[in-house]
Structure formats: C-alpha cells, structure tokens
Amino acid sequence: MQRRILVTEDDLALRRAVAEYLRGEGIERVEAENCATALEAAAAKAPDVLVLDLNMPAMGGSAVLDAWTASDGLKEVPVLLVSAGPDLAEVAQRFEVRASLAKPFDMDVLRAVLEQLLAHPEPPTAQEEPSPFGRGFG
C-alpha cells in the first residue's frame, strides 16, 4: 500500500523540493500551499503523515493544529512540524506534535523522520525509549 503525505508549505520552492524528494521515495504526496487547502485535502482523504509549516500566511499552522487535533478523523495522524521560527519547540510541545524540524533541514533527515512516523503511526507509550530522532519516537 502506497503511503500518503500531505505537504503544507507556502514557499513554493521548498514545497516542490520536498514533494519531488518524496516522489523519489515512492510516496504519494499531496501539496497544499495554505492551511485551508490542507484541511480540505485531509478531509477528502486523510494522509498517513502531515508535514506542516508553522508560519503560514492567513491561517497559521497553529490554527491547523487546533482543527487537526479536534477532528476525530485526523487527530491520530502524525504531524511533522517545520519552521524557521523561534517558537517551533514551544508549539510542538503545546500540541504534542510527534516530530519537528527546524528550517533549513537536510532532506535525508526529513526522510528519516518520515520513515519513523510511517513505521510507528501510534504515539509511543511511556515505557518506550526515546529515539535519537527527537521527541516522540520509540
């Protein structure tokens, strides 16, 4: 079964670079240039992972996380939060996001984090050991 990743990023060059990289990995990718489009795409068909830029124009990433965690169909879908902003760790912790990456990030690190999220879609239990990939991986 092909995995589906929703890439929500307002920077066209970065969104396309991530999508092209994922295509090379054999992953179905859906691109969203803004948060409203991301929520519509997720409502139509839930992805296996959401890659979400925190700092988006109009509706920001925090608003998407509010809607995401309130939705029965989406709240179990792991989120990879990305941002160049200083509040990345704070927002990731507040929303209990499973993974986060500071921009700019290496595509191989992105792939490793996504592989972990796809391999372990459920949040880790309290007894699981933390991973070198950061918060939330077992």
Side-chain angles (χ1 to χ4, degrees):
M1 179 174 89
Q2 189 176 34
R3 307 300 250 167
R4 184 171 197 260
I5 296 180
L6 174 55
V7 180
T8 306
E9 170 64 58
D10 60 315
D11 181 309
L12 177 62
L14 181 56
R15 186 175 70 244
R16 291 276 164 86
V18 170
E20 278 302 305
Y21 184 81
L22 295 175
R23 184 174 67 100
E25 297 295 309
I27 295 172
E28 178 187 354
R29 70 257 174 249
V30 177
E31 296 179 48
E33 65 184 86
N34 59 53
C35 295
T37 304
L39 290 172
E40 289 172 13
K45 183 177 179 187
D48 294 299
V49 175
L50 168 66
V51 177
L52 176 64
D53 180 13
L54 179 59
N55 298 313
M56 303 275 285
M59 174 192 272
S62 291
V64 170
L65 290 170
D66 278 332
W68 200 265
T69 56
S71 171
D72 286 336
L74 298 175
K75 67 183 174 186
E76 301 302 321
V77 174
V79 175
L80 168 55
L81 195 60
V82 298
S83 179
D87 56 346
L88 176 62
E90 175 188 323
V91 174
Q93 184 174 15
R94 181 170 28 125
F95 285 98
E96 298 180 3
V97 170
R98 296 264 311 279
S100 60
L101 284 176
K103 291 180 186 177
F105 50 82
D106 183 272
M107 289 296 188
D108 290 332
V109 173
L110 172 73
R111 179 180 45 80
V113 172
L114 289 173
E115 284 176 358
Q116 285 291 317
L117 289 172
L118 290 167
H120 305 284
E122 298 297 319
T125 61
Q127 27 318 7
E128 290 183 34
E129 292 293 318
S131 158
F133 293 111
R135 198 172 103 49
F137 291 112

